[in-house]
């Protein structure tokens, strides 16, 4: 009787132990399910949102379904101008920032928005990513940067033909960041606003055109209203995808690794998507709306390039004030640009 009792007690204890460790161990090894919200400002079909959907899908697959990303395109969770604060305060876990919308906030990485003549979004995106990795600038200190990318070089899209700098005089053109200064240099009238407000501004006639990468002709259907495009090869717009730091710190290490491994790959994917999509968008716009494309003269381009040096000089002053060795940062941009132009020649 006593022996049986001891045996039964031991058996119960053993079972209990097994159950405890069983409940503990395998559950901890299997990554806990987590859902992340990801805010974006422009409409779903535009490139910042196309890359967002690709990222969400990859993350879900690479974490074996442990991470689900809920995407909020079209300013449904956060808009262009409250994206930064919204992510810092945790209203969204992840947000997509156009750095040019935050003057003075990103003194290091905004160097990629300078008129340095990037040849493609692929080259500029990888340059931006590497620049960030080298400096890990304090401008992102309370955030986790998940990936970065840029638009393609900017050109002028307008309602009326702007075949020369003379034609541009006084014409209201939308831009942001350094593009506002470039618009001024060309003699036009700069009007600052995020891309997400541009359709309405064009519709209402507040602006007569815009300066950005040409895929928006298709993605926003701007080709319908802006039948005239002037090739100017102006700066690219840099973007950062950032995560709330507390949320990042709460993620299991295995998940953090998946996200970190995806950072550069996503930058390259987005640059290449953009460069390919530009060609499709131009062809589509020619076919559907018969858009006209103009080139400035060599002399006009030289004038723009030369005046653009002033923007670079002013950035150097700002970057130095923020504690950067501006010549070294700019030198890095130029070195990375040359390296990636050799690796990814313009198509
Ligand atoms: C851009 C921003 C949102 C959607 C599509 C876009 N294509 C190019 C840009 C860059 C730009 O003009 C901006 O304001 O960030």
């Amino acid at each position: 009787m006593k022996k049986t009792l001891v045996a039964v007690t031991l058996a119960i204890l053993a079972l209990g132990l097994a159950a405890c460790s069983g409940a503990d161990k395998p559950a901890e090894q299997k990554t806990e399910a987590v859902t992340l919200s990801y805010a974006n400002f422009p409409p779903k079909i535009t490139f910042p949102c196309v890359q967002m959907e690709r990222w969400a899908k990859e993350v879900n697959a690479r974490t074996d379904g442990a991470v689900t990303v809920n995407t909020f395109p079209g300013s449904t969770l956060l808009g262009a101008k409250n994206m930064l604060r919204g992510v810092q305060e945790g209203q969204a876990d992840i947000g997509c920032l156009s750095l040019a919308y935050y003057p003075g906030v990103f003194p290091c990485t905004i160097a990629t928005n300078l008129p340095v003549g990037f040849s493609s979004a692929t080259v500029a995106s990888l340059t931006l990513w590497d620049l960030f990795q080298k400096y890990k600038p304090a401008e992102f200190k309370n955030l986790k940067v998940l990936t970065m990318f840029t638009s393609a070089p900017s050109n002028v899209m307008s309602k009326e033909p702007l075949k020369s700098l003379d034609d541009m005089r006084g014409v209201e053109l939308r831009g942001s960041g350094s593009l506002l200064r470039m618009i001024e240099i060309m003699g036009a009238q700069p009007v600052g606003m995020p891309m997400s407000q541009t359709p309405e501004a064009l519709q209402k006639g507040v602006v007569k055109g815009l300066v950005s990468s040409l895929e928006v002709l298709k993605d926003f259907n701007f080709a319908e209203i802006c039948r005239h495009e002037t090739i100017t090869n102006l700066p690219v717009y840099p973007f950062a995808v950032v995560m709330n730091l507390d949320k990042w710190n709460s993620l299991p290490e295995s998940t953090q690794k998946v996200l970190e491994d995806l950072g550069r790959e996503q930058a390259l994917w987005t640059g290449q998507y953009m460069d390919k999509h530009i060609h499709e968008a131009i062809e589509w716009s020619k076919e559907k709306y018969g858009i006209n494309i103009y080139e400035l003269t060599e002399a006009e381009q030289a004038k723009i390039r030369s005046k653009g040096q002033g923007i670079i000089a002013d950035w150097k002053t700002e970057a130095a004030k923020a504690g950067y060795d501006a010549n070294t940062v700019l030198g890095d941009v130029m070195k990375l640009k040359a390296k990636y132009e050799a690796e990814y020649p313009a198509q």
Side-chain angles (χ1 to χ4, degrees):
M1 180 70 198
K2 226 178 184 181
K3 262 188 189 163
T4 321
L5 202 68
V6 170
V8 168
T9 311
L10 278 174
I12 289 170
L13 268 172
L15 269 175
L17 273 174
C20 277
S21 61
D24 260 31
K25 279 284 168 56
E28 246 172 32
Q29 274 163 11
K30 191 164 186 337
T31 311
E32 239 177 279
V34 56
T35 300
L36 301 171
S37 59
Y38 188 153
N40 218 326
F41 62 95
K44 195 174 167 82
I45 51 157
T46 65
F47 93 100
C49 292
V50 171
Q51 73 77 35
M52 169 171 76
E53 295 302 331
R54 189 262 175 183
W55 189 88
K57 209 174 104 216
E58 287 299 323
V59 167
N60 185 256
R62 293 179 193 200
T63 58
D64 297 321
V67 178
T68 304
V69 183
N70 281 342
T71 57
F72 296 85
S75 301
T76 46
L77 182 55
L78 292 170
K81 298 263 202 172
N82 64 355
M83 190 67 66
L84 178 57
R85 186 179 297 187
V87 173
Q88 284 168 336
E89 292 178 354
Q91 287 162 265
D93 299 321
I94 304 171
C96 177
L97 296 170
S98 177
L99 304 187
Y101 300 172
Y102 297 85
V105 176
F106 303 103
C108 178
T109 47
I110 202 71
T112 54
N113 184 233
L114 292 171
V116 293
F118 278 114
S119 53
S120 70
T122 302
V123 168
S125 295
L126 292 174
T127 298
L128 172 58
W129 179 251
D130 283 7
L131 189 76
F132 172 77
Q133 292 305 325
K134 174 171 177 185
Y135 288 91
K136 297 271 167 60
E139 61 211 40
F140 292 102
K141 71 173 183 297
N142 50 3
L143 295 161
K144 175 66 187 179
V145 176
L146 296 172
T147 190
M148 302 184 99
F149 52 83
T150 74
S151 61
S154 299
N155 296 299
V156 179
M157 296 160 256
S158 55
K159 297 181 177 185
E160 301 296 328
L162 303 176
K163 298 183 188 177
S164 66
L165 293 186
D166 264 353
D167 288 349
M168 291 191 196
R169 194 163 301 143
V171 175
E172 298 91 344
L173 297 178
R174 171 273 160 188
S176 262
S178 79
L179 277 309
L180 288 169
R181 297 264 317 263
M182 297 305 303
I183 290 166
E184 206 174 1
I185 282 170
M186 295 190 297
Q189 180 68 43
V191 183
M193 71 182 75
M195 183 59 93
S196 33
Q197 287 172 19
T198 307
E200 194 184 332
L202 276 170
Q203 214 67 49
K204 289 190 172 161
V206 173
V207 297
K208 306 292 192 309
L210 74 149
V211 182
S212 188
S213 49
L214 293 175
E215 95 292 348
V216 296
L217 288 171
K218 181 173 189 214
D219 294 348
F220 283 90
N221 200 33
F222 286 157
E224 183 178 26
I225 193 163
C226 295
R227 303 275 171 110
H228 305 277
E229 336 304 341
T230 311
I231 303 304
T232 47
N233 294 313
L234 294 175
V236 301
Y237 287 86
F239 290 74
V241 177
V242 296
M243 186 187 271
N244 177 282
L245 198 55
D246 291 335
K247 180 57 85 166
W248 170 259
N249 289 330
S250 78
L251 296 175
E253 251 174 61
S254 56
T255 299
Q256 289 182 340
K257 179 159 176 12
V258 168
L259 302 193
E260 284 193 322
D261 288 349
L262 191 50
R264 185 182 189 275
E265 182 194 318
Q266 182 72 16
L268 177 59
W269 187 93
T270 306
Q272 291 184 320
Y273 166 78
M274 168 60 101
D275 290 329
K276 184 164 163 276
H277 187 49
I278 292 257
H279 293 297
E280 296 165 355
I282 292 171
E283 287 315 306
W284 178 90
S285 304
K286 280 181 181 165
E287 241 167 67
K288 185 155 171 110
Y289 296 111
I291 59 159
N292 303 288
I293 298 182
Y294 315 110
E295 308 252 354
L296 295 176
T297 64
E298 202 34 67
E300 286 174 313
Q301 291 178 48
K303 184 177 162 189
I304 295 171
R305 266 199 305 276
S306 139
K307 289 199 179 178
Q309 295 307 306
I311 301 178
I312 297 179
D314 290 350
W315 168 78
K316 282 187 185 178
T317 308
E318 289 304 307
K321 264 192 224 154
Y324 293 95
D325 178 342
N327 284 319
T328 305
V329 173
L330 187 62
D332 284 329
V333 168
M334 300 314 286
K335 266 187 254 169
L336 290 164
K337 173 177 176 286
K339 174 186 158 182
Y340 286 124
E341 276 170 357
E343 196 174 339
Y344 298 97
Q347 304 283 309

